[in-house]
C-alpha cells in the first residue's frame, strides 16, 4: 500500500493439494493459501487469484477441485477471482516432458505465449474443447451458487445455445 500498488496476483495454480504437491512441486497447504487471501482482503489494492487448468493427468473432477477451492476464498471488494488459464506445455519444463512421456503431446509441438487459449494436449480423460469450455465458464462456477451450475454447464458448449447462455451469464456476472 505504501508503494501505491494497484494489483497483486497470486498463483494458486491448482485447488487440489495432492496434485499441487505431486505435479507442481508446491507443498503449500490450502489453509496457508486461504490465510494469505484473508490477510489481503482489506487492502487498498486488488488481489487476484490465478489458476491453471488442463495440466497433465488432470480431469474434470480435478478442475472442479480448483473451482471449489476458489469458492472457499474470502472474496470482498478487493479480492477478485480472475478465472483460469489453459496450461501451455512450455519447452524445458518437467510438465511438458511428462506430457510427452505419457503421449499427451508430440515432442515436436511448438508452444508459444499465444497457445494458451486452447489445450494442445490429447488427454484420454478430457477433450481440448471441454477444457476450453471450462476455462470460459470458470469464473461463473466460482461466483454463482451451485444451483446455477446446470446453466453454466450449458455455457461451456460452443453451440448456439451455449454461446447464448454464456452471454447471459456474462452480463449477470459483470453486474
Amino acid at each position: 500500500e505504501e508503494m501505491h500498488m494497484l494489483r497483486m496476483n497470486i498463483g494458486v495454480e491448482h485447488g487440489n493439494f495432492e496434485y499441487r504437491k505431486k505435479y507442481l512441486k508446491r507443498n503449500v497447504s490450502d489453509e496457508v493459501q486461504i490465510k494469505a487471501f484473508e490477510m489481503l482482503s482489506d487492502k487498498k489494492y486488488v488481489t487476484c487469484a490465478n489458476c491453471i487448468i488442463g495440466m497433465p493427468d488432470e480431469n474434470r473432477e480435478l478442475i472442479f477441485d480448483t473451482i471449489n477451492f476458489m469458492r472457499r476464498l474470502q472474496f470482498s471488494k478487493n479480492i477478485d477471482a480472475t478465472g483460469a488459464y489453459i496450461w501451455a506445455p512450455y519447452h524445458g519444463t518437467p510438465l511438458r516432458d511428462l506430457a510427452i512421456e505419457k503421449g499427451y503431446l508430440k515432442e515436436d509441438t511448438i508452444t508459444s505465449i499465444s497457445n494458451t487459449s486452447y489445450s494442445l494436449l490429447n488427454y484420454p480423460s478430457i477433450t481440448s474443447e471441454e477444457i476450453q469450455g471450462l476455462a470460459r465458464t470458470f469464473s461463473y462456477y466460482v461466483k454463482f451458487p451451485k444451483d446455477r451450475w446446470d446453466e453454466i454447464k450449458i455455457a461451456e458448449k460452443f453451440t448456439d445455445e451455449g454461446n447464448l447462455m454464456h452471454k447471459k451469464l456474462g452480463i449477470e456476472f459483470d453486474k
Side-chain angles (χ1 to χ4, degrees), residues 75-87:
F75 291 104
S76 67
K77 65 182 178 75
N78 294 336
I79 298 203
D80 183 29
T82 58
Y85 298 94
I86 296 174
W87 180 72

Side-chain angles (χ1 to χ4, degrees), residues 12-15 19 24 50-55 58 63 66 83-88 138:
V12 171
E13 315 305 0
H14 204 281
Y19 188 95
L24 305 178
N50 296 320
C51 300
I52 301 172
I53 64 172
M55 293 185 274
E58 194 173 37
I63 291 170
T66 301
Y85 298 94
I86 296 174
W87 180 72
F138 188 90

Side-chain angles (χ1 to χ4, degrees), residues 118-119 126-135 156-159:
Y118 59 93
S119 177
I126 191 167
T127 67
S128 179
E129 187 171 306
E130 287 175 287
I131 293 168
Q132 194 175 349
L134 283 164
E156 289 179 38
K157 305 291 183 201
F158 295 93
T159 61

Side-chain angles (χ1 to χ4, degrees), residues 24-163:
L24 305 178
K25 311 299 183 220
R26 296 189 64 205
N27 194 17
V28 180
S29 71
D30 291 352
E31 291 71 27
V32 166
Q33 291 193 87
I34 290 168
K35 180 70 175 166
F37 281 93
E38 288 172 352
M39 291 169 44
L40 297 168
S41 66
D42 65 343
K43 302 301 180 199
K44 293 178 183 173
Y45 51 83
V46 174
T47 303
C48 297
N50 296 320
C51 300
I52 301 172
I53 64 172
M55 293 185 274
D57 291 339
E58 194 173 37
N59 55 33
R60 188 175 180 90
E61 181 180 333
L62 284 167
I63 291 170
F64 271 85
D65 284 351
T66 301
I67 289 167
N68 285 314
F69 176 81
M70 295 295 290
R71 291 173 64 84
R72 292 176 56 195
L73 296 180
Q74 178 184 340
F75 291 104
S76 67
K77 65 182 178 75
N78 294 336
I79 298 203
D80 183 29
T82 58
Y85 298 94
I86 296 174
W87 180 72
Y90 292 120
H91 292 267
T93 63
L95 280 181
R96 180 189 173 90
D97 295 341
L98 178 65
I100 291 168
E101 176 187 316
K102 292 200 167 203
Y104 303 151
L105 181 73
K106 292 182 179 165
E107 194 164 353
D108 60 351
T109 302
I110 306 283
T111 306
S112 70
I113 298 291
S114 63
N115 286 126
T116 59
S117 61
Y118 59 93
S119 177
L120 295 170
L121 279 66
N122 181 21
Y123 292 120
S125 60
I126 191 167
T127 67
S128 179
E129 187 171 306
E130 287 175 287
I131 293 168
Q132 194 175 349
L134 283 164
R136 91 169 180 166
T137 57
F138 188 90
S139 292
Y140 302 159
Y141 280 115
V142 172
K143 180 177 179 177
F144 293 127
K146 287 187 175 185
D147 64 6
R148 305 282 309 276
W149 282 16
D150 287 342
E151 292 173 85
I152 299 168
K153 189 168 186 175
I154 293 168
E156 289 179 38
K157 305 291 183 201
F158 295 93
T159 61
D160 290 342
E161 180 186 24
N163 293 333

